[in-house]
């Protein structure tokens, strides 16, 4: 599942539920919207190509 942080707009993937943002540590996590998931996947693909 892809999550988004409302505080810092960090997008990240976790297999298990999370409560805290790994970036800013705040508990403003929600499920990412479809739009954000697509953005996240595109970013991941870009990173793979870079390496
Ligand atoms: Zn955050």
């Amino acid at each position: 599942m892809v999550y988004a942080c409302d505080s810092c707009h960090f997008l990240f993937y976790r297999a298990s539920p999370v409560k805290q943002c790994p970036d800013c540590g705040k508990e403003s996590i929600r499920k990412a919207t479809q739009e954000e998931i697509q953005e996240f996947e595109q970013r991941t693909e870009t990173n793979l190509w870079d390496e």
Side-chain angles (χ1 to χ4, degrees):
M1 169 124 18
V2 179
Y3 296 90
C5 173
D6 270 332
S7 196
C8 67
H9 302 291
F10 185 62
L11 293 173
F12 60 100
Y13 176 83
R14 284 292 183 284
S16 52
V18 284
K19 284 185 179 173
Q20 279 191 315
C21 172
D23 194 49
C24 69
K26 290 184 180 167
E27 295 186 9
S28 39
I29 299 299
R30 57 171 169 79
K31 289 180 189 174
T33 63
Q34 202 60 43
E35 208 172 61
E36 287 167 335
I37 292 170
Q38 280 175 4
E39 184 191 319
F40 177 80
E41 285 174 349
Q42 279 170 8
R43 197 187 301 168
T44 305
E45 279 174 29
T46 305
N47 288 343
L48 287 175
W49 282 111
D50 282 345
E51 289 172 346

